[in-house]
Amino acid sequence: MKRVFSGVQPTGQIHLGNYITMKNFVKQQEDKDCIYCVVNMHSITLPQDPVILRDRTVELAALYLAIGIDPKKVTLFVQSQVSAHAELAWILNCFSYMGELNRMTQFKDKSAGKDVVTTGLFTYPVLMAADILLYDTHYVPVGNDQKQHLELARDIAIRFNNKFGETFVVPEPMIAKVEDGARIMAFDDPNQKMSKSNPNEFSKITLLDTPSKVKKSIMRATTDSDMTIKYDLINKPGVSNLLTIYSQFSGMRISEIESKYENEGYGSLKKDLVEIVNQELSKIQTEYNRILESGEVLDVLKAGRERAHELSTVVLDRVKNKIGFLTF
Ligand code: LTN
């Protein structure tokens, strides 16, 4: 079975864009060996409140389960609980170049204008490479923003393999298509991606939002004055965004939705979308609360950590042998 690895940071709330990506994680569990990781070690590359970080770590795991990740099929665990990640990251740091890390656009963006920039932020992509390479990963579902990091992970793997012989599986990206909801845009500005860091609360919907917040966000969403309900990313980005979300939540094809609303205005599309989104969020929220209250999320994380530990030890020992570290 092909192996998939992906990580999500336990910072900020999960919005619809993240959710649609995570729904794709649920699909993968049917025919691939999926390893999903709460990457809290990546989160501390920027300052975090310890109490909030700990809560968010468990909450993100509960949310994974609430949206349909099946712990019998998937390995779900917390990065900091498997020390092989830190160990391999250190080793790979010694095979990564300042020059290539300096070219990472995310680093340039996140460090721009800061007085203090930690080396953790700088070597963040090396830790991500370690995450992926530790599990002989074949595929990594990534958005556009992470493509460059995955490319670096491949470069490091190839470089190491060339020097020491076949050690790492070289991972391939799995890039979602725009029609599959890869680019969910902000409600207040459909030319910008929906983002955790956007300060306008109505720019996004998060999975734990109330029905009235969902309603306000969608009803206020920026559209255009042309009034026809048509998917056209260039001329009608706002309406196209609503159609993409509608399609992802209803399972209907975009063309079907266009015909359904042929003689209708934006108001009725939006009203129905509010209903559809609220129905699904309400199911997720009920499940989420049940999972957190029952404490089952902690059992899942313990089992996940065991399996992740077993798998990663094999690869880490392989690496240690190659570079001349003792493994007994
Ligand atoms: N950098 C990623 C999170 C991440 C990740 C990974 C994704 C950390 N390690 C390994 C895929 C594979 C992000 O911020 N989206």
Side-chain angles (χ1 to χ4, degrees):
M1 223 190 324
K2 293 288 187 190
R3 186 165 287 154
V4 171
F5 184 99
S6 193
V8 175
Q9 290 194 46
T11 43
Q13 258 140 11
I14 301 295
H15 59 61
L16 291 192
N18 304 135
Y19 172 56
I20 289 168
T21 308
M22 287 165 78
K23 276 189 18 168
N24 182 42
F25 293 2
V26 177
K27 275 191 221 134
Q28 301 304 327
Q29 74 186 357
E30 298 311 328
D31 61 349
K32 299 195 187 62
D33 181 7
C34 295
I35 305 189
Y36 296 142
C37 183
V38 179
V39 289
N40 58 344
M41 290 162 68
H42 281 97
S43 298
I44 64 163
T45 57
L46 296 172
Q48 302 295 336
D49 176 315
V51 174
I52 296 176
L53 182 62
R54 190 177 294 114
D55 285 350
R56 288 271 156 75
T57 301
V58 177
E59 288 164 10
L60 177 57
L63 214 42
Y64 263 113
L65 299 175
I67 67 167
I69 292 291
D70 179 351
K72 290 201 246 4
K73 296 179 181 152
V74 161
T75 300
L76 179 64
F77 75 105
V78 176
Q79 186 185 33
S80 65
Q81 295 199 289
V82 177
S83 56
H85 290 254
E87 286 190 68
L88 183 61
W90 174 255
I91 295 171
L92 296 184
N93 265 317
C94 301
F95 294 93
S96 306
Y97 305 146
M98 298 285 288
E100 61 191 354
L101 295 183
N102 253 323
R103 284 195 293 275
M104 295 292 123
T105 56
Q106 184 175 301
F107 173 71
K108 287 191 235 180
D109 292 346
K110 290 199 177 177
S111 59
K114 294 237 163 75
D115 307 335
V116 178
V117 177
T118 67
T119 45
L121 189 65
F122 187 61
T123 61
Y124 172 119
V126 180
L127 177 59
M128 177 163 161
D131 295 342
I132 297 165
L133 300 179
L134 266 179
Y135 297 93
D136 290 335
T137 301
H138 300 103
Y139 300 117
V140 184
V142 281
N144 263 317
D145 62 322
Q146 297 298 316
K147 251 168 74 181
Q148 196 186 26
H149 290 162
L150 185 68
E151 203 46 54
L152 178 79
R154 289 169 53 87
D155 289 345
I156 296 173
I158 292 168
R159 181 178 306 150
F160 194 100
N161 287 349
N162 285 339
K163 191 166 163 98
F164 296 103
E166 226 35 56
T167 309
F168 293 123
V169 171
V170 180
E172 303 277 343
M174 252 168 71
I175 297 176
K177 298 194 214 71
V178 176
E179 312 88 88
D180 295 335
R183 278 181 74 75
I184 299 300
M185 310 311 280
F187 289 124
D188 61 337
D189 175 4
N191 295 308
Q192 250 183 51
K193 263 183 85 167
M194 189 175 285
S195 150
K196 286 182 186 177
S197 53
N198 189 326
N200 176 359
E201 63 166 328
F202 297 109
S203 71
K204 59 189 170 239
I205 290 173
T206 77
L207 293 191
L208 302 178
D209 274 347
T210 60
S212 76
K213 162 75 191 326
V214 168
K215 186 170 177 188
K216 279 199 194 110
S217 311
I218 292 177
M219 296 314 287
R220 288 179 189 191
T222 304
T223 44
D224 53 63
S225 52
D226 158 71
M227 297 308 270
T228 54
I229 295 177
K230 231 181 120 355
Y231 186 82
D232 176 348
L233 284 176
I234 308 286
N235 300 307
K236 300 168 72 67
V239 177
S240 303
N241 192 40
L242 297 178
L243 286 170
T244 304
I245 296 170
Y246 196 121
S247 161
Q248 287 296 318
F249 274 76
S250 65
M252 284 169 73
R253 277 195 302 273
I254 294 203
S255 57
E256 289 177 290
I257 306 167
E258 284 172 342
S259 337
K260 179 169 153 88
Y261 291 94
E262 215 180 335
N263 303 309
E264 310 265 357
Y266 294 156
S268 81
L269 175 76
K270 285 179 167 180
K271 231 174 85 230
D272 291 351
L273 184 58
V274 169
E275 282 306 304
I276 294 171
V277 170
N278 271 333
Q279 240 180 39
E280 189 153 331
L281 291 199
S282 139
K283 271 192 255 158
I284 293 171
Q285 291 170 8
T286 307
E287 203 31 27
Y288 172 79
N289 290 325
R290 187 192 65 72
I291 290 164
L292 273 183
E293 274 158 32
S294 71
E296 76 178 60
V297 60
L298 301 182
D299 296 332
V300 169
L301 289 177
K302 275 183 204 148
R305 160 201 185 160
E306 290 304 311
R307 177 156 193 261
H309 175 75
E310 274 166 34
L311 294 172
S312 59
T313 302
V314 174
V315 178
L316 185 60
D317 278 352
R318 197 192 294 156
V319 172
K320 286 180 175 173
N321 265 318
K322 293 279 173 81
I323 63 172
F325 282 6
L326 307 180
T327 51
F328 59 78

